[in-house]
Amino acid sequence: MIHTGRHFLQIPGPTNVPDRVLRAMDYPVIDHRSAEFASLGAEVLDGVRKIFQTASPVVMYPASGTGAWEAALVNTLSAGDRVLLFETGHFSQLWRQVAEKFGIKVDYVPGSWRKGASADELSARLAADKDHSIKAVLVVHNETSTGVTSRIPELRRSMNQTHHPALLMVDTISSLASIDYRHDEWGVDVTIAGSQKGLMLPPGMSFNAISDKALAATAKASLPRAYWDWQEMLKPNRTGFFPYTPPTNLLYGLREAMRMLQEEGLSNVFKRHDRHAEAMRAAVRAWGLEIVCEDPREYSSSLTAVFLPEGHDADKLRAVILENFDMSLGAGLSKLAGKVFRIGHLGSFNDLTLAGTLCGVEMGLRLAGVPHKEGGVLAALNSLAPAGRKVEPAPMGR
Ligand code: PLP
């Protein structure tokens, strides 16, 4: 089938890259040892800290998010160290595999994939760890496979109340710049992030925000590290440079994306995501379908994962939607494969992108013969623009 118009990339990342960012990257590569580069490097290294809401250093790797997971571990831990990692879904599972490959002992706290990390469970486990053998607590803030957002401040409170000295490491790959997140205020030691979701950039760059405590842990951490070594990175970063060839054009893009986020205001960016997520859920409920996330306090504002009724294949629905409407939706991952589809509503996204996305899903449900009630799109429109009420114009996110 020949498709006209623009492809709808509504997976929960990589997300649509705004034209402004694409244009900013369409620029000659410059000498990465020049004064011109140093000024770009210094600007982005300093500016990006605002997005993490931290005064601490943020290092940037030319790597996908998996690299930043590895960096967080190898800089702070030694083989044989014990860490606590909450099973939230597919991505917690992958992070666990990375840790185990380095000989880190992972206490994997079982979870149903429908709820976030439990602060009560964390308190109990830390209180039982009298000799402080747990060196770090690892949490995926927004589990991209399920659309469940863990409540980091509550987890931090548990750590403080039990006076446990473990480091807190948080994966914000699908939440940074979409869902409220505060590295300093929430007492996080290492925040892991990627370029390809809320930051509205192409894939290829990832980040670690590093607290003083995490930086101090590098002195004792004996896991081998070369490419990921924070100390090697931080030295040239002080003057705007990198220890190896930086992803120059992604940095141009990052500078532009940061300007866009600044213009909109981070708190408005979060509100926009919350509002769109609410409208998405209104549609799903009206269809009579089930949202994977069970606890409304943990609904994700960057994506919604939806169960299909028993006996219906979510991958078939996605294929019908792609074929007929040129829209990509996220697949169910590992144990949710075929059972769930995921709608990404993060990054460069507005009311009409939402309406178009939901129209594609609703038409797809019809064509694929998935039993559902009519009126999901209408429910979302009512949520976005209730009749007779003046609505604040949505920022265009362009
Ligand atoms: N963590 C989360 C929450 C993710 O969503 C992803 C990817 O989607 C990753 C980690 C892995 O990142 P990458 O695929 O960029 O290596």
Side-chain angles (χ1 to χ4, degrees):
M1 188 185 281
I2 293 183
H3 293 295
T4 53
R6 213 159 167 160
H7 175 67
F8 264 60
L9 180 68
Q10 296 316 137
I11 58 175
T15 60
N16 295 291
V17 179
D19 292 347
R20 244 179 92 171
V21 172
L22 287 173
R23 281 198 294 272
M25 292 190 304
D26 181 9
Y27 196 77
V29 178
I30 53 171
D31 174 4
H32 61 292
R33 303 192 197 284
S34 65
E36 187 186 357
F37 182 87
S39 134
L40 167 69
E43 185 180 346
V44 290
L45 284 162
D46 181 44
V48 80
R49 296 182 304 158
K50 289 200 187 79
I51 307 201
F52 289 80
Q53 306 203 38
T54 185
S56 290
V58 176
V59 296
M60 302 181 187
Y61 298 106
S64 86
T66 303
W69 267 344
E70 180 168 329
L73 301 173
V74 297
N75 278 285
T76 54
L77 298 170
S78 304
D81 276 353
R82 226 174 123 201
V83 302
L84 208 65
L85 171 54
F86 283 89
E87 178 183 12
T88 45
H90 177 73
F91 290 102
S92 68
Q93 207 160 272
L94 292 184
W95 199 3
R96 174 192 187 176
Q97 284 167 16
V98 175
E100 287 179 342
K101 282 182 183 159
F102 283 99
I104 294 165
K105 294 198 188 104
V106 180
D107 292 2
Y108 197 47
V109 185
S112 67
W113 290 37
R114 301 195 66 178
K115 283 199 160 70
S118 152
D120 290 344
E121 179 75 30
L122 179 59
S123 296
R125 296 222 178 204
L126 293 182
D129 180 36
K130 299 269 183 261
D131 60 352
H132 295 166
S133 69
I134 295 168
K135 298 297 176 218
V137 174
L138 277 46
V139 190
V140 177
H141 180 216
N142 185 68
E143 178 51 76
T144 323
S145 61
T146 61
V148 176
T149 307
S150 288
R151 285 161 289 157
I152 304 301
E154 292 188 16
L155 299 171
R156 179 75 251 178
R157 220 167 292 130
S158 293
M159 294 178 75
N160 293 347
Q161 280 164 0
T162 47
H163 303 289
H164 197 289
L167 295 168
L168 176 59
M169 301 194 194
V170 182
D171 169 342
T172 64
I173 287 177
S174 59
S175 55
L176 191 87
S178 306
I179 299 172
D180 192 10
Y181 183 80
R182 307 167 191 208
H183 177 90
D184 284 2
E185 191 184 318
W186 295 355
V188 179
D189 293 299
V190 188
T191 297
I192 293 121
S195 56
Q196 74 273 29
K197 307 206 189 224
L199 286 176
M200 306 178 287
L201 295 169
M205 192 161 53
S206 55
F207 307 83
N208 279 174
I210 310 164
S211 74
D212 288 346
K213 187 170 154 187
L215 202 55
T218 61
K220 281 202 194 139
S222 65
L223 279 172
R225 53 188 181 268
Y227 187 80
W228 307 116
D229 196 324
W230 289 341
Q231 302 289 359
E232 295 297 324
M233 189 63 118
L234 289 169
K235 271 181 262 165
N237 276 182
R238 276 180 211 119
T239 47
F241 292 111
F242 284 65
Y244 35 66
T245 313
T248 311
N249 291 53
L250 280 173
L251 299 181
Y252 291 138
L254 176 60
R255 179 165 63 184
E256 195 62 23
M258 286 180 344
R259 285 179 187 152
M260 290 173 67
L261 292 165
Q262 219 78 84
E263 285 163 19
E264 188 177 346
L266 258 194
S267 63
N268 292 328
V269 171
F270 302 145
K271 278 188 214 144
R272 165 165 62 88
H273 283 78
D274 292 343
R275 176 170 169 271
H276 285 148
E278 184 58 43
M280 280 286 167
R281 292 190 296 270
V284 176
R285 287 192 200 103
W287 288 325
L289 298 180
E290 194 179 349
I291 296 166
V292 172
C293 180
E294 278 180 332
D295 184 340
R297 293 170 303 172
E298 297 176 334
Y299 280 147
S300 168
S301 287
S302 60
L303 76 131
T304 303
V306 183
F307 281 112
L308 277 206
E310 251 336 282
H312 292 270
D313 181 356
D315 289 340
K316 189 177 148 228
L317 170 69
R318 290 189 316 106
V320 166
I321 291 171
L322 180 61
E323 167 70 12
N324 289 277
F325 309 115
D326 196 24
M327 175 162 72
S328 299
L329 295 172
L333 298 172
S334 18
K335 73 176 189 185
L336 297 179
K339 298 186 164 75
V340 156
F341 69 95
R342 296 172 299 142
I343 310 171
H345 34 87
L346 71 164
S348 179
F349 192 83
N350 62 29
D351 288 13
L352 296 188
T353 334
L354 181 141
T357 301
L358 286 175
C359 285
V361 176
E362 192 159 316
M363 290 189 287
L365 291 168
R366 291 182 190 193
L367 292 182
V370 176
H372 67 285
K373 291 189 224 138
E374 298 277 301
V377 172
L378 188 60
L381 301 187
N382 285 336
S383 163
L384 291 179
R389 179 148 24 115
K390 188 174 176 305
V391 187
E392 288 292 312
M396 294 308 282
R398 209 180 281 130

